[in-house]
Amino acid sequence: MDRTFAPSGPIPLSTSFTVPTNPIINLPVTFTSTTLGGTAPYSVAWNFGDGSTGTGVLVTHIYTTTQTFTVTETATDSSSPAQTATSSQSVSVAVPPPLTTSFTVSPANPLVNTQVTFTATSAGGTGPYTVAWTFGDGSTGTGSSVTHTYTAAQAFTVTETATDSSTPAQTATSSKSVTVSTTPPLTTSFTVIPSSPVVNTPATLTASTSGGTGPYTISWSFGDGSTGSGTTTPHTYAAAQSFTVTETARDSSTPQQTTVSTNTVTVSTLQTGNFGSCASLPQGWNCGNTNGLTGSSVDIVSGVLQTRESNPGVGSDNSYYYSTTQKGTFPWDPCRAPANGVLPSTVSSVSTTFTPLTITASGSYRYHIYVALYYWLPNGPVSAGGSTYQCLDTQVRIENIGGSF
């Protein structure tokens, strides 16, 4: 017969403890006991090796000298008779690492009467740290991050001193030369889009400002009694004439800088209504000419040229059979300067919209609608590609060749 006998009495008591790897002088060191066996609860007593003692499973102690100490922990259980277990370790207490400090300056190139931020970075020693500043102009400050405003343009030596919390305290110093410059002159200008505004059509004015100290404040006088504000602002003129626009920019420096930009904006009337009187065209054409095409017509209604061609396939490259009209005197041959006063001087763009009517294809033919703009070169003829020109033209057209439109 096999029998198992349980051991009589409590399990033997054992104990151990942990301690930080690199204790620092004048800083708390934490000791933690772990006890097994015996009969709980346990009582724990400590001898820190420097003449000091303590009790408890978790204790802290501060060493005031740098050397190696033998720490002994004694655990006692609650059995009767009580068991006792002891654990010992050597603890080497060291001085803290050397204190170091440095700082940054933002902006790196500060301006007179503009706030500058100084930020210290300290390491080593024993935290927390206290930081003191001398800004080189007789002013001082405290704190890891401080601001300061210089009122003179020159180079200043800034010194930052960091002090730690160890005993005795460590001190570290960092210095830099900070060059403060005068504020660059404030300048401003503006653009107008479109550059030649039209009556009752919004124009956009945009300011471009530099120098001084941002942010900037922009105000406008549009020359027609109206005002506005903002870097970009719209404005609509109700009359066709020239206006003097004034833009005023102010910066944020102390004292404040102000600068002004002025431009003349010429507002024109939208070209509407009839094209005006028509002059004779080459090959016998006249304003509203249909050149004898049966059922064809041409008219100008409220500034819109309306044509109808009812004879597809009629005509050739040398005999133009289509309706036409024109504004101004622009003979094709010879090239001559336009008649004085015929063209409005404020025209900067021409908009063309084609609205073709129903067209039925009939055989092979060429069909096109176009608007031609002719330019007279007032400074004399220009030679290019073996030819000489004093008139240039551009065309906008809708064209179909040999098919249905």
Side-chain angles (χ1 to χ4, degrees):
M1 175 182 295
D2 292 331
R3 292 184 180 180
T4 301
F5 296 93
S8 60
I11 300 172
L13 185 67
S14 65
T15 193
S16 63
F17 65 90
T18 59
V19 63
T21 304
N22 298 302
I24 299 298
I25 187 174
N26 296 319
L27 288 181
V29 183
T30 299
F31 300 90
T32 304
S33 170
T34 300
T35 304
L36 301 173
T39 302
Y42 311 111
S43 61
V44 180
W46 301 85
N47 185 325
F48 299 115
D50 62 350
S52 301
T53 60
T55 59
V57 174
L58 187 149
V59 294
T60 59
H61 180 64
I62 296 176
Y63 290 98
T64 58
T65 58
T66 56
Q67 64 183 75
T68 299
F69 300 91
T70 300
V71 179
T72 302
E73 171 238 345
T74 302
T76 304
D77 75 349
S78 300
S79 63
S80 182
Q83 295 188 67
T84 301
T86 301
S87 178
S88 296
Q89 290 188 47
S90 292
V91 176
S92 295
V93 178
V95 295
L99 178 65
T100 61
T101 195
S102 62
F103 65 91
T104 59
V105 183
S106 181
N109 300 299
L111 301 174
V112 169
N113 298 318
T114 302
Q115 184 172 276
V116 186
T117 299
F118 300 88
T119 303
T121 301
S122 301
T126 302
Y129 311 108
T130 59
V131 179
W133 303 84
T134 60
F135 299 113
D137 61 352
S139 300
T140 60
T142 58
S144 295
S145 181
V146 295
T147 59
H148 183 64
T149 300
Y150 290 97
T151 58
Q154 65 182 75
F156 297 92
T157 299
V158 179
T159 301
E160 172 245 338
T161 302
T163 304
D164 76 348
S165 300
S166 63
T167 303
Q170 294 190 65
T171 300
T173 300
S174 178
S175 295
K176 283 185 180 180
S177 179
V178 176
T179 301
V180 180
S181 305
T182 56
T183 304
L186 183 67
T187 61
T188 195
S189 62
F190 66 91
T191 58
V192 182
I193 298 178
S195 57
S196 299
V198 172
V199 169
N200 297 321
T201 301
T204 300
L205 296 87
T206 303
S208 178
T209 306
S210 61
T213 302
Y216 308 113
T217 302
I218 307 297
S219 59
W220 302 86
S221 172
F222 300 116
D224 60 354
S226 300
T227 59
S229 62
T231 301
T232 298
T233 183
H235 185 65
T236 300
Y237 288 97
Q241 66 182 75
S242 293
F243 297 92
T244 298
V245 179
T246 301
E247 175 238 339
T248 302
R250 295 178 174 85
D251 75 346
S252 300
S253 63
T254 302
Q256 188 177 65
Q257 293 191 64
T258 301
T259 188
V260 172
S261 178
T262 301
N263 283 324
T264 299
V265 176
T266 300
V267 180
S268 62
T269 302
L270 184 64
Q271 298 299 302
T272 59
N274 292 340
F275 286 93
S277 59
C278 295
S280 297
L281 296 173
Q283 302 185 22
W285 298 340
N286 294 311
C287 179
N289 174 60
T290 58
N291 206 17
L293 300 179
T294 303
S296 297
S297 63
V298 63
D299 197 6
I300 299 175
V301 180
S302 299
V304 178
L305 173 65
Q306 299 180 350
T307 66
R308 177 185 292 274
E309 300 291 347
S310 300
N311 302 83
V314 177
S316 65
D317 289 344
N318 295 319
S319 182
Y320 303 97
Y321 282 81
Y322 46 76
S323 305
T324 184
T325 188
Q326 73 174 38
K327 168 67 178 177
T329 304
F330 286 99
W332 290 356
D333 187 21
C335 177
R336 297 199 302 271
N340 290 332
V342 173
L343 295 180
S345 60
T346 56
V347 172
S348 60
S349 63
V350 176
S351 176
T352 303
T353 301
F354 294 112
T355 307
L357 303 177
T358 302
I359 298 172
T360 303
S362 176
S364 177
Y365 60 93
R366 174 172 177 167
Y367 182 97
H368 65 222
I369 304 172
Y370 75 92
V371 172
L373 302 180
Y374 289 85
Y375 302 89
W376 169 258
L377 305 179
N379 296 325
V382 174
S383 296
S387 300
T388 300
Y389 307 90
Q390 193 156 353
C391 285
L392 301 177
D393 76 291
T394 61
Q395 297 184 10
V396 179
R397 70 169 67 197
I398 298 176
E399 183 171 354
N400 167 271
I401 300 176
S404 59
F405 181 77

